[in-house]
Amino acid sequence: MTTVPPGEEPVVVGVDGSDSALDAVRWGAAESVRRRLPLRLLHVCSVPSLGRDW
């Protein structure tokens, strides 16, 4: 695990494919430029169960 110095954490934006999430990505991109920080986009999806307990 990499440790990020305080004040250098990336701007993190959750994305789910909605219009409001796209607005959040635009905000996050502008904020990361303004703060000179990396932008990290986070997307989570669920995988349907196949009915088996693996």
Side-chain angles (χ1 to χ4, degrees):
M1 179 179 218
T2 304
T3 302
V4 179
E8 294 183 23
E9 297 90 353
V11 175
V12 179
V13 178
V15 182
D16 65 2
S18 66
D19 290 338
S20 59
L22 184 56
D23 290 339
V25 170
R26 289 185 184 113
W27 171 85
E31 192 66 15
S32 69
V33 168
R34 186 180 75 79
R35 295 182 183 209
R36 296 182 180 185
L37 294 172
L39 174 63
R40 180 167 296 161
L41 302 178
L42 177 66
H43 182 263
V44 178
C45 62
S46 61
V47 178
S49 172
L50 297 176
R52 300 180 189 151
D53 294 327
W54 295 66

